Amino acid sequence: MNQTLTLALSKGRIFEETLPLLEAAGIVVTEDPEKSRKLILPTSDPAVRVVIVRASDVPTYVQYGAADFGVAGKDVLLEHGGEGLYQPIDLDIAKCRMSVAVPAGFDYASAVRQGARLRVATKYVNVAREHFAAKGVHVDLIKLYGSMELGPLVGLSDAIVDLVSTGSTLRANHLVEVEQIMEISSRLVVNRAALKTKREKLQPIVDAFDRASRPEK
Ligand code: ATP
Ligand code: MG
């Protein structure tokens, strides 16, 4: 039986913060995606390879079985919907929060209280829709694919829903965080079929990720 495994990762913090978990499973990625143009990276284990994809595409690769497993942010998984994915572990990496931010000086509390329609620019339209619906706030959602911070600065929107960690990007753009919607971290996602057909190879890696992501246990 073919027990070759493909792991989907995105470049940047998810790749960097997954490396120690892979090492705990005895796997070393032997090329640096920031230096290499390769989209398929070999590892020290000939039966494991890494594919580098957009963060928001990780669940799709895993859902269709093009990757057997992957690491994706809760933000991405909520927007994707999680179809066809088994989510065994919160890896507790790439931590941040999803928040509402507005220009400094914008009276968010009274805008919300007065029941006016709020224009909100975000990449996370599903999470934002649910958040404001639960609060009974009427919103017009404007879908963006990046640089949400620009929206309020050029009159595209009143507010944004975006990920925040240190808040320095918000500050640099004179925005203030007015509401925290949820804590975000990255999760291991596994293709449901692969979990059965490749269990022998996959399960020990899942277990190693689990132990390494919870050093206290
Ligand atoms: P793409 O570049 O494909 O459009 P992206 O810009 O959202 O995606 P990254 O910025 O690399 O990709 O973020 C990848 C994941 O890392 C996000 O889905 C989120 O879970 C997490 N993340 C994003 N921003 C932060 C942050 N400021 N601090 C910590 N984790 C973050
Ligand atoms: Mg990016």
Side-chain angles (χ1 to χ4, degrees):
M1 201 197 286
N2 177 11
Q3 294 268 300
T4 295
L5 292 181
T6 302
L7 170 64
L9 296 176
S10 53
K11 266 197 233 186
R13 56 173 68 84
I14 288 185
F15 180 84
E16 300 300 330
E17 297 185 31
T18 301
L19 288 182
L21 304 176
L22 279 168
E23 275 167 37
I27 298 163
V28 178
V29 184
T30 46
E31 259 176 83
D32 178 355
E34 301 294 346
K35 293 190 185 128
S36 166
R37 286 166 180 265
K38 282 187 197 167
L39 297 175
I40 302 181
L41 305 177
T43 74
S44 57
D45 183 339
V48 179
R49 63 181 183 169
V50 173
V51 291
I52 300 296
V53 303
R54 288 289 290 267
S56 45
D57 289 336
V58 166
T60 306
Y61 278 82
V62 177
Q63 171 187 5
Y64 287 97
D68 300 296
F69 60 144
V71 177
K74 183 180 177 184
D75 51 313
V76 162
L77 291 168
L78 285 172
E79 288 300 310
H80 172 270
E83 274 165 80
L85 304 176
Y86 173 58
Q87 293 184 42
I89 315 171
D90 179 355
L91 298 172
D92 211 33
I93 61 170
K95 293 208 277 189
C96 53
R97 55 193 183 271
M98 197 181 293
S99 296
V100 182
V102 300
F106 180 84
D107 190 350
Y108 179 69
S110 52
V112 163
R113 210 178 318 115
Q114 283 158 11
R117 292 190 81 84
L118 197 69
R119 284 193 307 162
V120 179
T122 186
K123 189 155 119 178
Y124 306 104
V125 286
N126 293 329
V127 174
R129 187 181 299 111
E130 276 186 33
H131 172 73
F132 290 109
K135 288 168 58 81
V137 175
H138 297 287
V139 289
D140 290 319
L141 292 169
I142 301 168
K143 169 82 182 182
L144 289 179
Y145 292 87
S147 302
M148 269 74 84
E149 304 82 11
L150 184 60
L153 305 185
V154 294
L156 179 66
S157 68
D158 304 310
I160 60 171
V161 168
D162 199 3
L163 301 178
V164 182
S165 50
T166 62
S168 56
T169 305
L170 292 182
R171 270 193 299 282
N173 292 292
H174 309 290
L175 298 172
V176 289
E177 193 176 4
V178 286
E179 213 163 61
Q180 300 192 358
I181 300 177
M182 63 177 76
E183 299 291 326
I184 299 289
S185 57
S186 283
R187 319 291 162 110
L188 183 66
V189 292
V190 181
N191 176 270
R192 288 190 174 277
L195 193 67
K196 299 193 184 92
T197 59
K198 300 186 179 181
R199 178 157 223 127
E200 209 179 305
K201 181 77 186 161
L202 195 47
Q203 192 65 50
I205 300 176
V206 173
D207 291 343
F209 273 39
D210 189 24
R211 281 191 303 273
S213 65
R214 296 179 302 145
E216 73 279 8
K217 298 220 170 159

